[in-house]
Amino acid sequence: MKLKTISLPKFGDDRGALVVLEVGKEIPFEIKRVYYMFDTQLGIRRGFHAHKELIQVAIPVKGSCKFLMDDGYEKVEILLDNPNIGLVIEPMIWHEMYDYSDDCVLMVLASDHYDEIDYIRNYQDFEREVKNG
Ligand code: TYD
């Protein structure tokens, strides 16, 4: 499985850094929702779901964390530790997040509003949907 990442333009000078993202440029969907995770406790693993239709981009604005990405056939781990690199989470990718650094602020841009109907939270259901459609 090839993971998709997006490089965001970064501007830095002696004042610090500035990263920008624009819909239709770096972000290939209309952003309908933004959420972010922080103060994640040591040893916590989150996620454990796939989405039927939602597309998301996860950006570690501060700190780092790891993602396990699983398309039902192959599992790939990626470390997110760069605030100008976003990870694209496409539909039907089971994902888990873990090894959050103490200071991690993980921001997620989403193509739609929150809708529990779009979630697959049971791994066996996920595998069945991948294999049988
Ligand atoms: P949860 O789905 O457990 O997060 P994750 O699976 O990514 O670790 O979400 C935690 C809570 O936040 C849960 O009660 C649902 C709520 N929530 C919203 O209301 N809106 C949202 O956009 C998200 C992502 C979560």
Side-chain angles (χ1 to χ4, degrees):
M1 184 198 352
K2 183 128 175 52
L3 296 184
K4 235 187 249 177
T5 56
I6 295 177
S7 287
L8 303 169
K10 181 178 173 188
F11 301 92
D13 54 33
D14 50 14
R15 295 170 298 172
L18 184 155
V19 174
V20 61
L21 51 89
E22 292 183 83
V23 170
K25 291 191 179 171
E26 297 79 20
I27 306 302
F29 53 81
E30 293 294 325
I31 299 168
K32 289 228 184 120
R33 175 166 54 108
V34 177
Y35 60 95
Y36 42 93
M37 278 157 262
F38 57 96
D39 283 352
T40 307
Q41 299 299 297
L42 196 68
I44 289 295
R45 211 169 164 103
R46 313 191 56 135
F48 297 99
H49 62 255
H51 288 282
K52 295 175 194 162
E53 294 186 356
L54 191 73
I55 308 178
Q56 302 186 97
V57 174
I59 302 163
V61 173
K62 181 87 183 157
S64 65
C65 71
K66 287 179 187 156
F67 268 74
L68 175 80
M69 304 284 277
D70 177 352
D71 63 2
Y73 296 95
E74 196 188 342
K75 299 181 202 315
V76 178
E77 181 184 84
I78 180 170
L79 171 69
L80 292 196
D81 62 354
N82 187 335
N84 66 303
I85 304 278
L87 174 66
V88 182
I89 308 167
E90 297 198 298
M92 296 309 287
I93 299 291
W94 184 268
H95 52 285
E96 299 173 17
M97 299 87 87
Y98 51 100
D99 283 0
Y100 289 84
S101 64
D102 246 13
D103 59 346
C104 182
V105 181
L106 180 64
M107 179 174 75
V108 184
L109 316 173
S111 65
D112 214 338
H113 297 146
Y114 177 73
D115 182 2
E116 194 55 42
I117 299 291
D118 189 63
Y119 280 73
I120 304 172
R121 291 194 184 269
N122 177 286
Y123 191 79
Q124 276 73 42
D125 292 347
F126 165 70
E127 275 194 309
R128 205 175 307 122
E129 289 227 15
V130 165
K131 283 164 190 166
N132 304 327

